[in-house]
Amino acid sequence: MQVVSIISTKGGVGKTTTAANLGGFVADAGLRVLLLDLDVQPTLSSYFTLAARAPAGIYEMLAFNERRIEQLVSRTAIAGLDLVLSNDDRGELNTLLLHALDGRLRLRHLLPALVPFYDLVLIDTQGARSVLLEMAVLASGIALSPVTPEILAARELRRGTLQVFEDIGPYRHLGIDPPPLHLLINRVHPVSSNARLIQQTLRQMFQGQTGVRVLATDVPAIEAYPRAATRGLPVHRVEYRQPVGRNAPAALETMRALAGGLFPQWRELFAQVTGRPDARGMVGSDGHGKRA
Ligand SMILES: Nc1ncnc2c1ncn2[C@@H]1O[C@H](COP(=O)(O)OP(=O)(O)OP(=O)(O)O)[C@@H](O)[C@H]1O
Ligand SMILES: [Mg+2]
């Protein structure tokens, strides 16, 4: 089971958008995906229509160590895409975990219960430093951080993000290495931005930092992303063809490249995703080859 936390110490950079679209794409490739909404504001929890709502959510999971799938996991309308809802309405989890002896390791200890059920777990987080963010990073095999071109200039990017990794460094003494950090350039203006220059700048900023990688795929700023969110669909289903006269590739191709860069072991499955409504169901009898 792959575990990816989607993090940033800045708000509004595209964490939830990435979680929803990457999750939806990987699910459409026939894999079993679980989204964990760790943000107090339940944006990811309300992105997709729910086919079945579980009685519990992230609060019960983290506060009471709830492990029972049938209690925790809501099903979205997208086959193969499940969700643990954000329901920490009063924002208590952060303080609770701060004072718990195992606080920052709690999620890491709970994840083995999910291994039989999921191929991929995607953790969406709040755009600020918090115990929950550190906990998410310590539980994941990859940390994925969207970066928008506007905030590239801000020193805070390097300091803020790297500080998290530095602060959790002492967990090495417990045999827990921080995961590699993958930077995803998001919302690149298809006409006015120089994507290559942005990539170069970002690489220079993080030069010499082991474990930091700038992903080769960047995500253009296109209207398909907000449109997909409004329709409650993963973006590759909304834009599977490149619009005439636009330079930026179709959202389907961007998601395929992004997913393939993160999970090369599933590239063959990703190649089969078409995004077209009539083509779903072609992969296997239920449209999801790997799922029983
Ligand atoms: N590549 C893109 N092209 C166009 N719009 C985008 C793109 N990525 C994200 N957006 C839009 O930017 C806004 C912020 O994105 P999102 O909510 O994913 O950010 P976030 O990092 O989760 O924010 P927060 O820190 O508040 O949780 C949304 O309206 C989303 O639709
Ligand atoms: Mg968000």
Side-chain angles (χ1 to χ4, degrees), residues 16-278:
T16 303
T17 304
T18 307
N21 290 320
L22 192 59
F25 179 82
V26 175
D28 269 0
L31 294 154
R32 302 161 304 172
V33 181
L34 180 65
L35 303 171
L36 293 187
D37 190 352
L38 280 192
D39 193 345
V40 199
Q41 297 199 315
T43 319
L44 182 61
S45 298
S46 52
Y47 188 104
F48 298 107
T49 307
L50 295 184
R53 192 189 175 94
I58 205 74
Y59 187 83
E60 290 76 11
M61 184 181 191
L62 294 173
F64 308 137
N65 286 295
E66 177 61 75
R67 288 179 169 81
R68 287 169 299 172
I69 295 284
E70 68 281 7
Q71 286 295 306
L72 282 182
V73 168
S74 298
R75 311 218 172 265
T76 75
I78 310 293
L81 186 63
D82 294 348
L83 170 74
V84 178
L85 288 167
S86 156
N87 63 343
D88 179 22
D89 306 338
R90 285 179 290 186
E92 291 167 354
L93 275 178
N94 211 57
T95 312
L96 203 146
L97 292 170
L98 176 67
H99 295 295
L101 211 57
D102 67 328
R104 287 173 180 78
L105 295 179
R106 190 153 299 177
L107 183 58
R108 189 183 170 92
H109 290 154
L110 288 164
L111 287 180
L114 301 172
V115 169
F117 305 103
Y118 295 100
D119 301 302
L120 172 65
V121 174
L122 290 175
I123 311 167
D124 187 23
T125 60
Q126 203 179 358
R129 271 306 292 268
S130 69
V131 177
L132 282 165
L133 174 66
E134 292 155 9
M135 180 194 71
V137 174
L138 283 166
S140 50
I142 294 176
L144 178 62
S145 187
V147 178
T148 54
E150 310 86 75
I151 68 161
L152 258 190
R155 293 231 169 104
E156 138 67 32
L157 165 69
R158 189 168 187 274
R159 216 187 34 225
T161 313
L162 290 183
Q163 193 65 48
V164 175
F165 283 74
E166 209 159 286
D167 290 351
I168 60 174
Y171 281 89
R172 284 212 172 84
H173 300 306
L174 299 173
I176 303 167
D177 288 329
L181 172 64
H182 292 354
L183 302 173
L184 170 66
I185 302 171
N186 184 38
R187 251 195 266 147
V188 180
H189 196 282
V191 181
S192 66
S193 307
N194 182 341
R196 188 168 294 184
L197 187 66
I198 295 168
Q199 290 242 359
Q200 264 174 16
T201 310
L202 202 55
R203 285 211 177 84
Q204 273 163 13
M205 272 173 93
F206 287 91
Q207 218 165 30
Q209 295 291 335
T210 44
V212 183
R213 175 161 88 109
V214 180
L215 290 173
T217 306
D218 38 47
V219 182
I222 52 173
E223 164 272 339
Y225 289 92
R227 185 151 44 97
T230 308
R231 293 179 58 188
L233 288 173
V235 72
H236 74 277
R237 289 197 192 181
V238 169
E239 193 189 89
Y240 44 84
R241 262 192 242 117
Q242 185 178 24
V244 179
R246 196 186 71 194
N247 272 336
L252 168 66
E253 296 314 325
T254 302
M255 294 319 298
R256 198 196 312 281
L258 173 62
L262 289 169
F263 316 114
Q265 69 275 30
W266 295 328
R267 271 187 193 152
E268 271 177 38
L269 292 170
F270 297 156
Q272 296 171 40
V273 179
T274 67
R276 282 195 299 275
D278 53 307

